[in-house]
Structure formats: C-alpha cells, structure tokens
Amino acid sequence: QAMALTDGPRMVLTPTYYAFDLYRPFKGATPLKATLQAPSFSTGDIELPTLQVSVARGADGKLVLALVNLDPARPARVATNLTSAVTGRVLTGAAMDSHNTFEKPQTIVPAPFSAKPGPQGLVLDLPPRSVVVVGM
C-alpha cells in the first residue's frame, strides 16, 4: 500500500499515510496491557472482532490509546475505566473503498476527536470503519 501517490510534480497522501501518522505517539512508547471485550461481526464467511485496541505510555509520559472499529457498517461505543478527557484524531471514510485521488486529495483525512468522562468513566464513540488515536 502506497503512502503517497505521485504523478510528475503532483502528489497526494493516501489513507495509509494518515493511519501511520496517527500512530506517531506510539514511537518509543512503552506498551501497556489492555483488556477489551467486543462483539464480532461477519463479512462473508469470515468472522472478525469489531474492535482492536493498543495502549502505551508515550516517550513524553502521556497515555496514548488507539482504537480501531473494523465494522464497516456500525459505530462502536467503548466504555473505559479512565477518568480523564482525551483529545486526538479520527480517520474514517464514507465507504470502505473511499480513497484520495489527485482530483479529490482530501477525501479521507484525519479529523479532530475528543471525549470527556462521565459518571461511569470515559466513553468513546467510534464511527464505523475508523481509527481513533487519543492521548491524555
């Protein structure tokens, strides 16, 4: 998968580039254990977990959390035991095959994402087919 497409002097960044960029806070970070309970979904005869999670303590000492909602059709709600607000970015598209082109280079780009804890802890609402990386 290309991170950038070029055509002579023109260049367009792909969703793969932006996904790699979202994970920059994990560089040099210390992985932390996370437990996730999530339903599965089926695509054809393949069953996949709806959610994936990665948690680490960044080189700057901050906690960083990455969540991937693999379900192409349904949003996911993730309840945590965290008590801090988080900010970061979300990457998603209108369809599973959405992509950036030279004519439409901004079809898929990261957007701001934030969530505040409620009485039961931090809850993150993930769009379908999305990657969310937040820090606190």
Side-chain angles (χ1 to χ4, degrees):
Q1 177 64 39
M3 294 183 62
L5 303 174
T6 59
D7 181 23
R10 300 188 309 164
M11 182 179 87
V12 63
L13 298 175
T14 68
T16 301
Y17 168 85
Y18 291 117
F20 271 78
D21 188 52
L22 285 176
Y23 280 84
R24 277 189 304 144
F26 285 88
K27 184 178 181 183
T30 302
L32 300 174
K33 184 177 181 176
T35 303
L36 179 68
Q37 295 176 344
S40 298
F41 76 98
S42 296
T43 178
D45 59 351
I46 299 171
E47 191 168 315
L48 297 167
T50 302
L51 298 168
Q52 296 287 324
V53 63
S54 297
V55 182
R57 177 78 51 203
D60 60 2
K62 294 181 181 177
L63 188 68
V64 61
L65 175 69
L67 292 155
V68 180
N69 181 1
L70 296 170
D71 193 317
R74 288 177 290 284
R77 175 166 275 194
V78 178
T80 76
N81 62 354
L82 302 172
T83 58
S84 296
V86 294
T87 59
R89 296 183 296 163
V90 58
L91 184 66
T92 188
M96 283 297 288
D97 61 352
S98 295
H99 58 279
N100 296 342
T101 64
F102 292 106
E103 294 74 29
K104 294 183 179 179
Q106 301 286 305
T107 300
I108 298 180
V109 296
F113 184 93
S114 63
K116 294 180 181 177
Q120 302 300 317
L122 180 67
V123 175
L124 299 109
D125 290 309
L126 311 177
R129 63 195 166 276
S130 65
V131 177
V132 172
V133 177
V134 293
M136 61 187 80

